[in-house]
Amino acid sequence: MTTQNTQSQRDRKRIVIAGGSLLAITLLATAAAFTDFANLNLGDGSDGSGIGVNSQFNIQVVGTDENGVPVPGTWQEANTNRGVNIAVPGADVITPGDTVSISIPFRNESPLLSAEIDFSLQDRPGFGSDAEMRDLLRYTVSVDGEMLAAEQTQDELADLALGTYLAGTSGSLTLSISLPEQDTPEENNALQNKSAFVQAHFGASSKQP
């Protein structure tokens, strides 16, 4: 009986050793396999680029000082509903027969995207215009010397296409405001103390370069 037990124990040891040898061979074979990989950084192909890195879209208008006077060579966002004040010389004292004007530089400040820019006139939020003055005023718009609209009312001057501006390019819009003479002196005098509160609106949508 002792001999048989001893033989069985030896057989079990052989099986364990054999199983361990197979496991070791498998591990060695796995560790010895060849490996490789490839990583691609998605972007525009330049170092440091990524998805959306250059998707900033931004237009700006000329900067103004504390009195609303345009400061050439400076820029501002003015992207609030309230807007930013800009001084139009003579606008506050316009009388029938007068025309006043202002030049407003603007630019596409985006790093890569082009901008389709349009121009509109709209009521200034929080202010009420006198209907007579609002409806009588006429507006003329030119961009870089090219006339785009002439003698239009505020309501007519909406979504006026200024063109497509490549990234980093600019233009200058000239807005002229006229109050036409009325048929009689009495009608002219009736416009005293009448006011219009108007906001110039630059809109833009991005376009692939």
Side-chain angles (χ1 to χ4, degrees):
M1 181 66 66
T2 302
T3 302
Q4 291 177 348
N5 289 339
T6 302
Q7 183 64 38
S8 297
Q9 290 173 356
R10 288 174 180 172
D11 291 342
R12 284 196 296 272
K13 288 180 180 178
R14 290 192 186 100
I15 292 171
V16 170
I17 292 171
S21 299
L22 290 173
L23 179 62
I25 291 171
T26 301
L27 291 175
L28 287 173
T30 302
F34 295 116
T35 63
D36 195 8
F37 65 91
N39 294 327
L40 295 173
N41 301 319
L42 305 181
D44 66 5
S46 64
D47 191 28
S49 70
I51 298 173
V53 170
N54 287 313
S55 63
Q56 174 189 337
F57 183 63
N58 188 43
I59 64 168
Q60 296 177 325
V61 293
V62 65
T64 51
D65 64 16
E66 64 276 8
N67 297 314
V69 177
V71 180
T74 67
W75 301 97
Q76 63 182 326
E77 305 297 332
N79 56 347
T80 66
N81 289 333
R82 181 181 178 183
V84 173
N85 297 332
I86 188 167
V88 182
D92 56 335
V93 293
I94 193 170
T95 59
D98 287 346
T99 297
V100 297
S101 63
I102 181 72
S103 291
I104 309 172
F106 60 92
R107 71 173 178 175
N108 176 12
E109 197 263 339
S110 309
L112 286 180
L113 293 173
S114 298
E116 292 182 343
I117 302 178
D118 59 58
F119 180 78
S120 301
L121 294 177
Q122 59 193 24
D123 293 329
R124 181 177 174 184
F127 291 79
S129 298
D130 292 304
E132 301 95 324
M133 179 66 83
R134 182 188 186 281
D135 294 340
L136 284 173
L137 290 172
R138 294 294 181 268
Y139 301 89
T140 296
V141 175
S142 62
V143 173
D144 298 327
E146 179 184 357
M147 184 177 294
L148 301 182
E151 298 296 317
Q152 294 193 352
T153 66
Q154 177 180 324
D155 292 334
E156 290 172 336
L157 194 50
D159 300 323
L160 178 66
L162 305 186
T164 299
Y165 288 79
L166 301 178
T169 62
S170 61
S172 182
L173 181 145
T174 299
L175 177 65
S176 297
I177 308 166
S178 301
L179 179 58
E181 283 269 8
Q182 301 306 295
D183 294 333
T184 66
E186 291 75 18
E187 288 177 304
N188 284 334
N189 288 334
L191 296 175
Q192 293 185 60
N193 297 321
K194 302 295 183 182
S195 303
F197 298 93
V198 186
Q199 190 175 74
H201 174 80
F202 289 83
S205 59
S206 65
K207 184 177 181 181
Q208 290 291 339

